[in-house]
Amino acid sequence: MIAPCVQHELLLARRMSRLGTETAFEVLIRARALEGKGKSIIHLEIGEPDFDTPANVVEAAVDALHKGWTHYGPSAGLPELRQAIAAYVSRTRGVEVSPDEVVVVPGGKPIIFFTMLALIEQGDEVICPNPGFPIYESMINYVGGKAVPIPLREERDFAMDVDEMASLITDRTKLIILNSPQNPTGGVLQRGDIEQVAKAIGDRNILVLSDEIYSRLQFAGQPFSIMSVPGMQDRTVLLDGFSKTYAMTGWRIGYGVMRADLAAHITRLMTNSNSCTASFTQMAGIEALRGDQSAVDRMCAAFQQRSEAFVTGLNGIRGFSCRMPKGAFYVFPNITGTGRKSKALADALLEEAGVAALSGTAFGQFGEGYLRFSVANSIEKLHQALERIDRWTKQNL
Ligand SMILES: Cc1ncc(COP(=O)(O)O)c(C=O)c1O
């Protein structure tokens, strides 16, 4: 006899209710659905370079595929890539990094995931920028930690107030997250501020997760890492990668640099989850780091030019006021002058104006009053988007 087919209730682990998401992907799905119904949408929601991966990097991957780099590799990454990353980080951050302090992972995100899993106990506090990349808070909550937001304010060009940050440090603080250049505001932490963060930490046993995924997309001045502050190298988990710098979002490759004992634990998390990062992707990563860098400079210059054009355009639209970002490819205008809440305005622009952007609240409560536009789109599309927003505001405000 065939057993009756019973549809059991899904008994999800309670922790799943604490896991957040990244709104950009949800807005992308909504925008695609509207396009499916014949509506024209300009996509300024998703945070990825619109450029192709540089040809030399693509060729290195094709070559690696032909040569058989299609098998498992070491969980921490191929020795030659770890060597190349150690040399790159040593050079750019002015510290001595060895390959056993490097873990290669599929994208920058796993470094956030694994760092939280490895370090955060129930009730541990993590200070994180707000508005900020939503995955930080999602992961902190998921592992049972407590996210302590440090507000980033427009009047400070979205750089954190270090005194305010210092006042949030308690006996439960385990980790402080820095992100410069910053998503979603385009803000940059200056060297003096970063040195003050190190001073505020003092000799407490607190680690810093320094998310420097946009470090090659800073428009003026040299990026400065907290890893470069004397005494901070062992207390920093540096997150960097290839997604934004080399337009390699779909390749899934990034890395963390940290003290060797922590790197061994993060490597165990890799063994338990992904086994390793795709081998041919890593071969492409070696070429990305060692090969011609002119594409990176060209993309950075284009993002700056587009940001300037878009900010100028927004400042001419009723209810919008916008500062020029200092890096990355996001523009974060103040929209309080429109009289609309951020989410309501983002929804209306998507559905009525055909421009997909994100509500500032997708990045935390201190994002209310703002929208995030990604300028990783052509200058023509950006101008079209400005025209659409302008027309919509004239008709609706
Ligand atoms: C601040 C920040 N960190 C990390 C990441 C993750 O990058 P990846 O695509 O390499 O996982 C992103 C991607 O949007 C980001 O904006």
Side-chain angles (χ1 to χ4, degrees):
M1 207 177 106
I2 299 168
C5 180
V6 182
Q7 178 75 59
H8 287 295
E9 183 191 351
L10 176 63
L11 297 175
L12 214 52
R14 208 171 302 143
R15 73 177 83 87
M16 284 304 286
S17 68
R18 301 194 301 265
L19 192 65
T21 187
E22 201 179 340
T23 312
F25 289 100
E26 290 174 1
V27 174
L28 178 65
I29 290 167
R30 279 174 60 204
R32 292 255 186 266
L34 287 168
E35 284 175 316
K37 289 183 193 152
K39 194 164 171 63
S40 151
I41 305 284
I42 300 175
H43 290 275
L44 305 184
E45 74 279 43
I46 205 92
E48 68 167 341
D50 55 320
F51 298 104
D52 290 333
T53 304
N56 60 317
V57 178
V58 175
E59 270 154 34
V62 171
D63 192 41
L65 281 166
H66 286 304
K67 288 185 172 147
W69 290 92
T70 50
H71 298 274
Y72 289 135
S75 294
L78 296 173
E80 195 183 347
L81 178 58
R82 292 172 85 198
Q83 179 69 54
I85 292 168
Y88 169 74
V89 173
S90 299
R91 192 173 72 244
T92 50
R93 275 70 171 192
V95 287
E96 198 55 53
V97 172
S98 69
D100 63 349
E101 294 168 310
V102 176
V103 188
V104 181
V105 292
K109 263 182 185 167
I111 291 298
I112 303 172
F113 202 140
F114 294 158
T115 300
M116 301 300 168
L117 281 174
L119 296 176
I120 304 304
E121 299 268 27
Q122 188 78 29
D124 280 348
E125 295 178 4
V126 181
I127 299 178
C128 54
N130 189 318
F133 188 47
I135 300 306
Y136 305 143
E137 213 172 307
S138 169
M139 287 314 307
I140 295 164
N141 292 334
Y142 186 65
V143 300
K146 183 177 167 213
V148 178
I150 167 75
L152 304 185
R153 298 201 176 81
E154 186 181 354
E155 55 274 20
R156 297 184 60 89
D157 266 345
F158 300 107
M160 73 161 71
D161 177 337
V162 180
D163 290 337
E164 192 178 0
M165 194 284 294
S167 75
L168 299 174
I169 296 177
T170 72
D171 291 345
R172 297 302 313 255
T173 308
K174 190 84 169 272
L175 187 70
I176 296 172
I177 300 179
L178 303 180
N179 175 211
S180 176
Q182 210 245 355
N183 177 9
T185 65
V188 159
L189 278 170
Q190 303 297 340
R191 181 181 182 139
D193 283 339
I194 290 172
E195 286 170 343
Q196 285 305 312
V197 171
K199 208 164 159 201
I201 293 171
D203 54 14
R204 292 181 178 91
N205 193 358
I206 295 175
L207 289 178
V208 176
L209 173 60
S210 187
D211 185 341
E212 303 179 16
I213 198 123
Y214 297 102
S215 59
R216 297 281 292 277
L217 303 176
Q218 183 167 321
F219 302 147
Q222 284 304 310
F224 184 76
S225 172
I226 193 155
M227 193 172 242
S228 314
V229 177
M232 286 306 292
Q233 184 176 353
D234 271 0
R235 291 196 270 168
T236 303
V237 177
L238 174 84
L239 181 164
D240 205 338
F242 299 81
S243 302
K244 317 289 177 174
T245 309
Y246 300 99
M248 289 176 72
T249 47
W251 294 67
R252 308 316 299 144
I253 180 165
Y255 56 87
V257 179
M258 64 206 82
R259 47 192 278 181
D261 52 359
L262 178 57
H265 292 294
I266 301 287
T267 301
R268 267 193 314 142
L269 285 165
M270 268 300 284
T271 308
N272 276 270
S273 52
N274 300 278
S275 293
C276 63
T277 306
S279 301
F280 54 89
T281 299
Q282 294 189 63
M283 295 302 284
I286 297 170
E287 171 61 23
L289 283 177
R290 292 192 177 151
D292 179 16
Q293 301 294 303
S294 57
V296 181
D297 300 332
R298 268 202 309 280
M299 289 190 275
C300 183
F303 292 139
Q304 180 173 8
Q305 190 205 4
R306 294 164 182 192
S307 297
E308 277 163 5
F310 202 69
V311 166
T312 306
L314 283 180
N315 281 326
I317 296 177
R318 182 184 308 161
F320 283 72
S321 122
C322 193
R323 292 185 179 221
M324 179 61 197
K326 293 182 158 55
F329 38 70
Y330 306 112
V331 165
F332 201 65
N334 183 322
I335 51 88
T336 48
T338 64
R340 301 285 176 104
K341 289 283 199 190
S342 298
K343 172 83 170 62
L345 185 61
D347 286 346
L349 290 181
L350 174 64
E351 279 152 29
E352 297 165 25
V355 177
L358 298 186
S359 165
T361 50
F363 302 92
Q365 74 265 38
F366 295 104
E368 183 55 78
Y370 299 89
L371 292 185
R372 190 196 80 170
F373 293 92
S374 162
V375 294
N377 209 325
S378 68
I379 203 90
E380 295 75 27
K381 288 273 182 205
L382 291 173
H383 281 301
Q384 251 180 47
L386 288 167
E387 277 163 28
R388 290 183 182 191
I389 301 167
D390 190 37
R391 201 175 321 126
W392 184 90
T393 55
K394 284 184 174 135
Q395 284 165 358
N396 293 280
L397 300 183

